Amino acid sequence: MTREQYILATQQNSLPRTEHPQFYPVGIYGWRKRCLYFFVLLLLVTMIVNLAMTIWILKVMNFTVDGMGNLRVTKKGIRLEGISEFLLPLYVKEIHSRKDSPLVLQSDRNVTVNARNHMGQLTGQLTVGADAVEAQCKRFEVRSSDGGKVLFSADEDEIVIGADRLKVTGTEGAVFGHSVETPHIRAEPSQDLKLESPTRSLVMEAPRGVQVNAAAGDLKATCRKELHLQSTEGEIFLNADTIRLGNLPVGSFSSSSSSSSFSSSSSPSSSAPRQTIYELCACPNGKLYLSPAGAGSTCQSSSNICLWS
């Protein structure tokens, strides 16, 4: 046995032995235990309050297995009842209202509907504002209730109005900056039809003729300078009981020579130029011809001339 082992063995034998060994308790006691119980109780109260609030929110918001409140999730999509407010953008494929109620889109400012392609580019836009309704697209169409007839269409090239009757109710009528092509222009039964060009000429053209008809009123054509009635291939036919040409100058016939002195009733003068005066004669068939005025007038015996003309 070595020296160190001997010393250790003698020291262990010399230690006093106790008859009752001491045990140290293990656990939380005192103020620590009271704090732990307090936190456990506080956690239990918080859980009970949280559960009660959750049940109250579920009851107030009307949460069901089909949705929340006025929102119902069906096989065809989402159904909203009443007024709904969206604070962020809404992306949907179709929006339908109930059969017995209209669809109302309301905003404090503008209501804008955008259409985009698969690349996200804007292809169409409809903006409803307080001052105007603006549509930005390649072609704008308004169709009938059945969707078969186009009532109004507009694009960059032309504007087409497909209604059977176009009615303009403005007091100033309709103003056209360029030409107008239409087969029929008619006013209301109790109103007058007026075609006017204040600063330019008014031209009516048709490849097979222009017909102007006033069934229950007068027909009046007024111009500032000259009025031309021209027929390149046919004739000008005036059919009336009385044909009057007013405000014509009055001429006097002089038998002293083959020519006569012509003077106007509005400004008589002895120095007026000498012109030959003709009479305007009418045949039984309605044709007109000129005859020299004077004693040898042929208006009384116009049978030969009417046959010739």
Side-chain angles (χ1 to χ4, degrees):
M1 178 181 292
T2 61
R3 184 178 180 181
E4 290 79 10
Q5 294 177 354
Y6 176 79
I7 293 173
L8 292 174
T10 56
Q11 288 180 355
Q12 291 178 358
N13 294 328
S14 62
L15 292 174
R17 296 182 179 180
T18 58
E19 295 180 359
H20 302 284
Q22 297 180 358
F23 297 96
Y24 296 97
V26 178
I28 300 175
Y29 298 93
W31 65 271
R32 294 183 179 87
K33 185 176 181 180
R34 290 191 294 270
C35 290
L36 179 60
Y37 287 163
F38 174 75
F39 284 120
V40 173
L41 181 62
L42 181 61
L43 180 60
L44 181 61
V45 172
T46 305
M47 291 177 60
I48 294 174
V49 172
N50 190 11
L51 180 61
M53 291 294 294
T54 303
I55 296 174
W56 180 76
I57 291 174
L58 291 175
K59 185 177 180 180
V60 172
M61 299 298 294
N62 194 12
F63 276 95
T64 60
V65 293
D66 296 331
M68 175 189 68
N70 296 328
L71 180 64
R72 295 289 184 269
V73 180
T74 61
K75 295 181 180 180
K76 296 181 180 181
I78 298 176
R79 180 176 180 177
L80 290 174
E81 299 288 343
I83 300 175
S84 302
E85 182 178 357
F86 299 93
L87 301 179
L88 296 177
L90 177 64
Y91 298 92
V92 295
K93 183 178 180 180
E94 293 182 0
I95 299 178
H96 297 278
S97 64
R98 293 173 50 182
K99 295 182 179 180
D100 55 348
S101 62
L103 176 63
V104 179
L105 301 178
Q106 184 175 357
S107 174
D108 294 338
R109 295 185 180 179
N110 297 337
V111 177
T112 303
V113 181
N114 294 332
R116 300 180 182 273
N117 55 12
H118 64 281
M119 300 179 60
Q121 299 176 354
L122 183 64
T123 57
Q125 184 181 61
L126 178 64
T127 303
V128 180
D131 298 331
V133 177
E134 298 180 359
Q136 180 181 356
C137 55
K138 292 183 179 179
R139 182 178 178 85
F140 179 77
E141 291 185 356
V142 177
R143 293 183 175 269
S144 58
S145 58
D146 56 355
K149 184 178 181 180
V150 179
L151 301 179
F152 178 84
S153 65
D155 54 16
E156 295 180 358
D157 298 330
E158 63 180 3
I159 296 177
V160 178
I161 299 177
D164 296 335
R165 185 177 184 181
L166 176 62
K167 185 176 181 180
V168 180
T169 59
T171 56
E172 298 295 332
V175 180
F176 300 95
H178 298 283
S179 61
V180 179
E181 182 177 353
T182 177
H184 191 193
I185 299 177
R186 183 180 63 183
E188 289 292 332
S190 60
Q191 301 294 331
D192 296 333
L193 177 62
K194 184 177 182 181
L195 303 178
E196 182 181 2
S197 179
T199 59
R200 294 294 186 270
S201 59
L202 179 61
V203 180
M204 292 187 294
E205 295 180 354
R208 300 186 62 180
V210 177
Q211 181 179 0
V212 182
N213 184 16
D218 298 334
L219 178 62
K220 183 178 181 182
T222 306
C223 64
R224 185 176 179 84
K225 291 184 178 181
E226 295 180 357
L227 177 63
H228 295 275
L229 299 177
Q230 182 179 0
S231 177
T232 56
E233 296 182 358
E235 61 182 3
I236 299 176
F237 180 70
L238 300 177
N239 185 10
D241 296 337
T242 303
I243 299 176
R244 297 181 179 179
L245 302 176
N247 297 328
L248 294 179
V250 179
S252 60
F253 177 76
S254 177
S255 59
S256 60
S257 62
S258 61
S259 60
S260 61
S261 61
F262 179 81
S263 63
S264 176
S265 61
S266 60
S267 60
S269 176
S270 60
S271 61
R274 300 174 61 85
Q275 298 180 357
T276 303
I277 296 178
Y278 293 91
E279 291 181 342
L280 181 62
C281 303
C283 296
N285 58 1
K287 294 184 179 181
L288 302 178
Y289 68 95
L290 295 178
S291 175
S297 177
T298 60
C299 285
Q300 301 297 329
S301 58
S302 59
S303 59
N304 296 330
I305 299 179
C306 288
L307 293 175
W308 173 80
S309 61

